[in-house]
Amino acid sequence: MTIIKRQATLRVLIPTLAGVTIAGVPESFANTTGKRAVLEEVVVTARRRSENLQETPVAVSAISGDDMREQGLTTTADLTRSVPSLQIGKASTTQIFIRGIGERTGFSRVDPGVGVYLNGLYIPRVDGQLFDTVNLKAVQVLRGPQGSLFGKNTTGGAMLLTLQEPAEERSGFIEGGIGSFELLQGKVGFSLPLSDSLRASWVLAGINDEGFLEDKATGEHFSSNNRQSFIAQLQWDASESITNDSFLYYGKIDEKRPGRSCEMIDENALLVKGLQVAWPGDTNPGDLSAFRENCEKNPPSLIEKGELSLGKNPQADYEYQGLTLGNSTAWAITDDYGLKLILGIQDAVEKPNQVSDSDGGPADFLETSSVDDSDRRTYSAELQFNGSALDSHLNYTTGLYWLKESITDSLMTFTSLLGFDALVLAQLGLGQYPDAPPLLGTLPVVGALAGPVALSQFQLNNEARGAYFQGSYDFTNNLQWTLGIRYTEEERATDLVYTGADMAAISAVISAHPLFGPAVPGVTDGLHPFLGPWALDPVQIAMDLFPDNDSDGVPDFPLDHAAATRQSAGITFYETSPMTSLAYVLPEAWLDDSWINSAMVYGTWSNGFKSGFFEPRGADGLVFIKPERVENIELGFKIDAFERSVRVNGALYQMRYDNIQLIQVDTDSENNLAVTMDNAGAATIEGVELEATWLPLPGMMINAAFSYNAYDFTQFSDRDLLALAVTGEKVEIDRTDESFPVVPETTFFLGAQYDFETGFGTLTPRFDMNYKSDIYYGIDNKAWLAYQRDKELAGTPAFVTVNARLMWRSPQGGTTVTAYLRNVTDEVYPEGGSATAETLGNKIITPGAPRAWGLEFRREFY
């Protein structure tokens, strides 16, 4: 069927996009011709209008909610197994990447690189982006920058989540499940027609498990799940041409943060033996070991046994509540023109929690935490107009968009007091790299080089306005040209209140102890001589003067509220994001008597940008971080073959990635160390993606996905922090040889299932295998050098995970019982991590779940 004919058929669906059908894998091979299985047509909305997937010139993967359930994809994060170039991990925060582009930190001031939409409503913060598959009808993953239609923060791509609309007949379902680690989960839903024109539905869901890691000393569990969700929907056919859809989504999280392992990868790091730094527990300055020993209390070998050691107050609780209200009104003005208005309100609260634990062990050495509730409020409105003109040769979408966002947030950084041997201080004072002092040391000196605590409190106000147009013109029945452009204005305002440590008060407390002398002004500011031997553990004695009386995980160092500084900054971005593509559907006459049933090839040029922001950097206050920009050139094809029993879609692309926002370790103008965001110049990404589905027999399905992305920095420089700390010399380091962190270069997925018809129902065994190549987790240059020597020093080697399921479906089809094994081979694999060889010398990995079993039950009522 030609592009024009297909679009003429689909155009009537424009006003009711909430009811778009995404044909799924099990349903897709249920259709047969004689004894041959046939793939059904998949309808997607990747271009804001309903189109056949095989004639849409976008690299998009589509999967139905039913298929996600049958494949055991319980959250959208599970899509990373089967969607090419999609990487979703959950370390201290959710990390979503497409083609290597995403966001690693989860800081509220940093926008995501992958846009997530729920029923057309943009979800701006990563905390609320990972939905359990509570009531999803379909998920579409659009790969590559989507700036012209979907706007800012879609540099990597977009995920479109569509809720299952209320049914026209009374119906309902109930689900339950048990499994490893005391898993209990349940879901109940009901759909009710209130009148001929009004339908309602609701779904209530919950999941709870104790987590797969246990601290044997305290009995506390980590990496747990405890989430509840509620969705209510109302669909009203106001007239033959006007439909109104509204939904309420409420989600609550109250669970334990993921545990982590820790390994030392370079004891010559800046804050270990590079500056000969003593931490609490160090009693021999000639053989400093406290930092290493603390890290190694959580080695990978312990984590593999399901155990860890995080101490008496690990700050592992994570609580989040979010409420989203969305309303969509669609008006089919004529058969050729449709208008749609999408309104949304989002309100969320994140409770205080630990953002990072850089020391990796039970001791409180280096932590970052939020200390106040983070309140987020978002309002948005979008007006879309879809139309057709020029005798249906031109089909277009145009619209206006507005978003206003307000966020309050806080960040407390804590560093333990430190110790130095007097000989080390003397060498540092002369600008020399220090040597290890004698085993028993000389005079211990204890205190803080900079404030041990600092509190940053933010008020963020963002407002974005956009106008867009994208139109597709059919030159012939087979040749289509698409042109799109979006103009965005975005205002970002940041108010920062920065409160540092009260160094005078801290110094007074230390000086009052009989074993500490006063600091020498101008010589050892903030550092106090210890009038005893190193064997007494002087740094721990000093730390004990500041107990954590409020049990918030941070020692009670006084803050200097009187000297708190306030800084405000604002900027307005003006961005234009164009795109164009040319698509050609091969004429049916060309394909006669061939094994190909339909084929399309396309070429696309597209652009996107991710907002800049203001980053606190110690004494320098707010520093502007430039917006990211991505330019993509892509060639793709989509083929149905062998009497539509095989579908193969692929893309080949090259992307230029500028002003990359990366987390780095840097210094402010006073040479204070800080973990901060910065721009990393430019890079290119060259890659290939393939997706294939094969129906060799009725009831049998095999699908596969492959992606390869070559990441190449073209501009990336840094500074040698050890040289800066010791000599004050600014030595530039070229980091262009590095790979992208967090994301693998190669992924491969293979899945297979078969329906066995029996006299007591249908049995469907399913097998999934997922391969990911080695992953680099470094933050600084020395981590990359370590990774080059041995991938396990600053990353993880390639790994394969295998899942198996066996589902029984009743003869009537309304009941299913499923038994499953996840991670059948008990593979050790990461969910996320970081490696900082230059400053801390350690690698911290958040482990993925080990082998787990489960039983699930579902009953549908009509």
Side-chain angles (χ1 to χ4, degrees):
M1 186 177 291
T2 64
I3 293 175
I4 292 177
K5 290 180 180 179
R6 187 77 74 193
Q7 289 183 341
T9 301
L10 297 173
R11 195 164 50 247
V12 296
L13 298 177
I14 290 172
T16 56
L17 295 185
V20 166
T21 298
I22 306 292
V25 171
E27 296 173 336
S28 68
F29 63 78
N31 186 19
T32 61
T33 302
K35 295 184 179 181
R36 190 179 304 280
V38 177
L39 287 160
E40 287 187 345
E41 180 179 293
V42 176
V43 178
V44 296
T45 56
R47 297 198 293 178
R48 301 274 193 172
R49 57 181 186 266
S50 303
E51 299 177 293
N52 177 8
L53 170 67
Q54 295 305 97
E55 295 179 355
T56 303
V58 178
V60 54
S61 299
I63 184 170
S64 73
D66 289 340
D67 294 346
M68 292 186 69
R69 182 174 63 253
E70 294 190 10
Q71 295 179 32
L73 308 179
T74 57
T75 74
T76 49
D78 292 331
L79 291 170
T80 190
R81 300 204 309 248
S82 58
V83 176
S85 294
L86 176 66
Q87 174 75 5
I88 303 178
K90 189 177 181 182
S92 59
T93 187
T94 299
Q95 300 171 341
I96 308 178
F97 291 81
I98 296 179
R99 294 181 178 176
I101 299 175
E103 213 294 284
R104 186 175 185 178
T105 68
F107 293 148
S108 60
R109 59 190 180 273
V110 187
D111 285 346
V114 175
V116 177
Y117 293 78
L118 180 63
N119 270 25
L121 194 66
Y122 175 57
I123 310 299
R125 298 293 126 204
V126 295
D127 312 90
Q129 286 186 337
L130 276 193
F131 294 91
D132 293 332
T133 56
V134 177
N135 196 33
L136 290 180
K137 180 178 183 178
V139 178
Q140 300 172 66
V141 180
L142 285 57
R143 300 185 294 277
Q146 306 293 323
S148 64
L149 273 182
F150 293 94
K152 70 187 187 75
N153 306 333
T154 57
T155 45
M159 293 178 61
L160 313 183
L161 313 179
T162 305
L163 294 172
Q164 180 67 56
E165 66 273 8
E168 295 184 356
E169 303 291 337
R170 179 177 299 187
S171 61
F173 69 89
I174 185 170
E175 293 182 13
I178 60 173
S180 301
F181 314 113
E182 299 189 9
L183 169 68
L184 286 174
Q185 59 183 344
K187 187 185 302 183
V188 59
F190 197 72
S191 198
L192 178 68
L194 303 176
S195 69
D196 291 341
S197 60
L198 188 63
R199 297 168 294 280
S201 67
W202 58 265
V203 176
L204 179 66
I207 182 171
N208 183 276
D209 66 53
E210 68 174 6
F212 58 87
L213 293 173
E214 180 185 5
D215 191 319
K216 292 297 185 180
T218 64
E220 193 168 4
H221 286 77
F222 301 88
S223 298
S224 68
N225 293 291
N226 183 14
R227 303 187 297 274
Q228 294 81 43
S229 304
F230 175 75
I231 292 179
Q233 293 175 260
L234 192 65
Q235 188 176 72
W236 176 38
D237 297 331
S239 69
E240 292 185 357
S241 59
I242 298 178
T243 300
N244 182 269
D245 294 280
S246 58
F247 74 89
L248 177 151
Y249 178 92
Y250 171 76
K252 181 180 179 181
I253 303 173
D254 185 4
E255 56 195 26
K256 296 294 185 182
R257 285 285 199 183
R260 63 262 178 183
S261 65
C262 184
E263 296 176 88
M264 292 301 295
I265 60 177
D266 191 345
E267 290 198 29
N268 293 316
L270 181 68
L271 292 179
V272 189
K273 293 186 177 179
L275 294 179
Q276 297 295 328
V277 175
W279 296 83
D282 273 318
T283 58
N284 183 350
D287 184 21
L288 299 170
S289 61
F291 194 91
R292 171 178 52 79
E293 290 173 355
N294 180 61
C295 165
E296 291 177 350
K297 288 182 179 178
N298 283 312
S301 58
L302 184 67
I303 301 298
E304 290 175 23
K305 294 191 294 184
E307 301 176 21
L308 79 172
S309 175
L310 291 182
K312 63 180 181 179
N313 189 15
Q315 290 183 275
D317 295 328
Y318 180 74
E319 297 180 46
Y320 176 90
Q321 294 187 53
L323 178 68
T324 300
L325 296 171
N327 183 272
S328 175
T329 302
W331 177 24
I333 303 171
T334 69
D335 289 343
D336 292 327
Y337 300 104
L339 192 66
K340 191 172 188 179
L341 176 64
I342 303 173
L343 302 174
I345 300 175
Q346 301 171 59
D347 190 90
V349 177
E350 184 182 73
K351 294 293 184 180
N353 66 95
Q354 185 182 79
V355 177
S356 70
D357 179 8
S358 299
D359 56 70
D364 294 326
F365 284 174
L366 286 159
E367 273 99 35
T368 302
S369 305
S370 60
V371 294
D372 299 311
D373 287 355
S374 178
D375 297 309
R376 298 98 183 265
R377 176 67 63 88
T378 304
Y379 302 93
S380 63
E382 182 168 6
L383 182 65
Q384 298 177 12
F385 182 78
N386 293 277
S388 177
L390 304 178
D391 194 25
S392 297
H393 283 270
L394 175 65
N395 292 275
Y396 58 88
T397 299
T398 187
L400 301 171
Y401 182 77
W402 171 82
L403 177 143
K404 187 175 180 64
E405 184 181 27
S406 175
I407 302 173
T408 62
D409 209 352
S410 62
L411 209 63
M412 174 79 81
T413 58
F414 155 70
T415 304
S416 166
L417 296 176
L418 305 173
F420 297 89
D421 191 87
L423 288 179
V424 170
L425 283 181
Q427 288 179 295
L428 291 174
L430 295 173
Q432 299 174 357
Y433 290 94
D435 299 316
L439 286 181
L440 299 179
T442 59
L443 177 69
V445 182
V446 178
L449 295 175
V453 291
L455 175 62
S456 298
Q457 296 168 295
F458 299 92
Q459 174 65 51
L460 309 172
N461 292 289
N462 307 322
E463 184 171 359
R465 299 171 292 275
Y468 60 88
F469 172 88
Q470 184 166 297
S472 299
Y473 183 79
D474 298 318
F475 288 103
T476 69
N477 287 344
N478 304 93
L479 181 63
Q480 182 186 87
W481 177 46
T482 301
L483 181 66
I485 192 168
R486 188 185 190 104
Y487 174 73
T488 301
E489 292 182 1
E490 181 176 11
E491 300 174 8
R492 294 182 78 95
T494 302
D495 293 313
L496 169 65
V497 177
Y498 177 83
T499 307
D502 189 335
M503 294 302 297
I506 293 172
S507 185
V509 171
I510 296 175
S511 296
H513 191 282
L515 289 178
F516 287 99
V520 180
V523 180
T524 59
D525 289 321
L527 296 173
H528 298 257
F530 180 72
L531 308 178
W534 275 101
L536 293 178
D537 196 353
V539 185
Q540 186 63 63
I541 292 174
M543 285 297 299
D544 289 341
L545 301 176
F546 304 92
D548 180 15
N549 291 320
D550 56 5
S551 298
D552 65 352
V554 179
D556 296 332
F557 291 104
L559 291 167
D560 191 357
H561 293 285
T565 60
R566 179 181 295 274
Q567 184 177 3
S568 298
I571 194 170
T572 301
F573 301 112
Y574 303 94
E575 293 286 340
T576 301
S577 302
M579 69 80 59
T580 187
S581 71
L582 194 65
Y584 187 72
V585 175
L586 274 62
E588 294 179 0
W590 291 12
L591 306 177
D592 288 345
D593 301 323
S594 74
W595 53 271
I596 298 177
N597 303 111
S598 67
M600 182 192 72
V601 293
Y602 68 89
T604 295
W605 172 70
S606 59
N607 293 267
F609 88 99
K610 172 183 167 182
S611 298
F613 57 94
F614 294 95
E615 172 78 356
R617 191 171 297 165
D620 298 336
L622 292 172
V623 176
F624 177 57
I625 306 300
K626 299 176 184 177
E628 293 183 346
R629 292 179 176 85
V630 177
E631 179 185 30
N632 175 49
I633 298 176
E634 182 173 324
L635 298 175
F637 66 88
K638 301 188 177 186
I639 296 173
D640 282 355
F642 298 106
E643 300 188 41
R644 301 194 183 277
S645 65
V646 174
R647 177 168 293 161
V648 181
N649 296 343
L652 181 70
Y653 46 86
Q654 182 183 68
M655 300 193 293
R656 178 176 171 82
Y657 189 12
D658 292 325
N659 295 328
I660 304 166
Q661 297 167 4
L662 287 179
I663 186 169
Q664 298 181 49
V665 181
D666 207 343
T667 60
D668 60 20
S669 57
E670 296 180 0
N671 290 337
N672 296 310
L673 284 172
V675 178
T676 182
M677 296 293 295
D678 206 347
N679 294 111
T684 59
I685 303 171
E686 296 179 340
V688 59
E689 297 163 346
L690 290 170
E691 288 184 285
T693 302
W694 178 32
L695 311 180
L697 298 169
M700 185 175 186
M701 182 276 299
I702 299 173
N703 61 333
F706 169 82
S707 66
Y708 172 76
N709 290 279
Y711 312 113
D712 182 21
F713 283 105
T714 56
Q715 299 176 29
F716 191 7
S717 62
D718 204 352
R719 289 183 290 179
D720 186 321
L721 296 180
L722 182 59
L724 187 64
V726 175
T727 67
E729 184 182 3
K730 295 182 180 180
V731 179
E732 292 292 322
I733 299 173
D734 182 6
R735 298 183 61 181
T736 54
D737 289 338
E738 297 185 21
S739 182
F740 280 21
V742 180
V743 290
E745 286 193 345
T746 304
T747 67
F748 176 71
F749 168 80
L750 179 66
Q753 69 182 60
Y754 185 72
D755 290 344
F756 291 94
E757 300 294 341
T758 71
F760 54 88
T762 304
L763 287 175
T764 305
R766 179 176 178 85
F767 160 89
D768 291 315
M769 184 274 289
N770 179 250
Y771 165 85
K772 293 186 184 297
S773 64
D774 50 86
I775 302 174
Y776 171 59
Y777 284 116
I779 291 177
D780 52 41
N781 179 65
K782 287 189 177 179
W784 174 252
L785 298 178
Y787 183 74
Q788 294 297 96
R789 296 194 303 271
D790 182 350
K791 288 183 169 53
E792 294 199 54
L793 287 177
T796 57
F799 61 91
V800 175
T801 55
V802 177
N803 300 313
R805 297 173 66 83
L806 178 63
M807 183 179 69
W808 170 80
R809 183 185 293 109
S810 66
Q812 296 77 21
T815 303
T816 60
V817 179
T818 304
Y820 65 81
L821 273 177
R822 292 182 181 148
N823 193 4
V824 174
T825 60
D826 206 19
E827 179 77 3
V828 177
Y829 68 96
E831 283 283 351
S834 64
T836 49
E838 186 168 14
T839 52
L840 301 176
N842 65 358
K843 180 187 76 170
I844 294 175
I845 294 294
T846 300
R851 180 170 48 232
W853 64 268
L855 292 172
E856 298 172 340
F857 167 84
R858 177 180 173 94
R859 172 67 177 171
E860 298 177 352
F861 304 95
Y862 301 96

